[in-house]
């Protein structure tokens, strides 16, 4: 009886994972304009420096810094929620997680914190702010 329960839980988790992958794929296909892969690769070094600098900033709330440290750990781990070799959505999970964490940083610390620590160009910062901005509902 116990193995049936474990098998049911595992099957449910796998089904939920598959549904989330499909939703991520649909989102990536419908919104290619948010941040292109070329922009993401160009901004990656600056983005990593930004996250490291924000995590070290003692003026930010501790919860924000903890999120940023966890984000750095996730990005450095070789294991992803979605393997990177899967087309379209392989890197999309990383981008979504980074955007969600930066969105929470924007909400708690404001865009000034990102601007103070951004090591790149103003155009690059604008791309990061646009990717991390809350989704606006259409009327």
């Amino acid at each position: 009886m116990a193995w049936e329960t474990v098998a049911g839980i595992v099957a449910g988790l796998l089904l939920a994972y598959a549904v989330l992958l499909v939703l991520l794929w649909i989102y990536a296909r419908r919104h290619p304009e948010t941040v292109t892969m070329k922009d993401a690769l160009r901004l990656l070094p600056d983005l990593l420096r930004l996250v490291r600098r924000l995590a070290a900033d003692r003026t930010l709330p501790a919860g924000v810094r903890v999120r940023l440290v966890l984000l750095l750990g996730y990005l450095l781990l070789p294991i992803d929620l979605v393997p990177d070799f899967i087309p379209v959505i392989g890197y999309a999970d990383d981008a979504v997680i980074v955007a969600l964490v930066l969105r929470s940083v924007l909400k708690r610390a404001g865009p000034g914190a990102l601007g103070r620590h951004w090591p790149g160009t103003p155009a690059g910062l604008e791309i990061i702010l646009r990717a991390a901005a809350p989704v606006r509902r259409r009327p």
Side-chain angles (χ1 to χ4, degrees):
M1 186 69 154
W3 68 272
E4 291 172 343
T5 304
V6 171
I9 291 171
V10 169
L13 289 173
L14 289 174
L15 179 63
Y17 180 73
V19 168
L20 288 173
L21 286 179
V22 169
L23 292 174
L24 184 61
W25 180 78
I26 290 169
Y27 180 83
R29 298 284 295 181
R30 288 189 179 167
H31 301 334
E33 74 283 353
T34 53
V35 177
T36 65
M37 183 59 76
K38 182 180 173 184
D39 288 337
L41 290 175
R42 185 173 44 88
L43 293 174
L44 184 61
D46 291 336
L47 182 64
L48 290 174
R49 279 191 294 256
L50 171 70
V51 171
R52 185 186 56 78
R53 288 177 180 179
L54 285 168
D57 185 354
R58 298 250 182 229
T59 63
L60 295 178
V64 170
R65 293 194 327 263
V66 167
R67 284 183 219 134
L68 291 163
V69 168
L70 290 173
L71 174 65
L72 280 174
Y74 175 78
L75 292 175
L76 294 175
L77 282 176
I79 300 170
D80 278 347
L81 293 175
V82 180
D84 291 338
F85 61 83
I86 297 177
V88 179
I89 62 171
Y91 292 101
D93 69 321
D94 295 337
V96 168
I97 290 171
V98 168
L100 289 174
V101 171
L102 288 179
R103 183 173 296 164
S104 75
V105 170
L106 276 172
K107 193 175 193 179
R108 291 285 310 268
L114 270 69
R116 279 193 317 269
H117 295 290
W118 179 250
T121 65
L125 178 61
E126 184 61 36
I127 291 171
I128 296 298
L129 290 173
R130 188 177 69 213
V135 177
R136 291 185 182 94
R137 301 274 183 221
R138 293 182 186 146

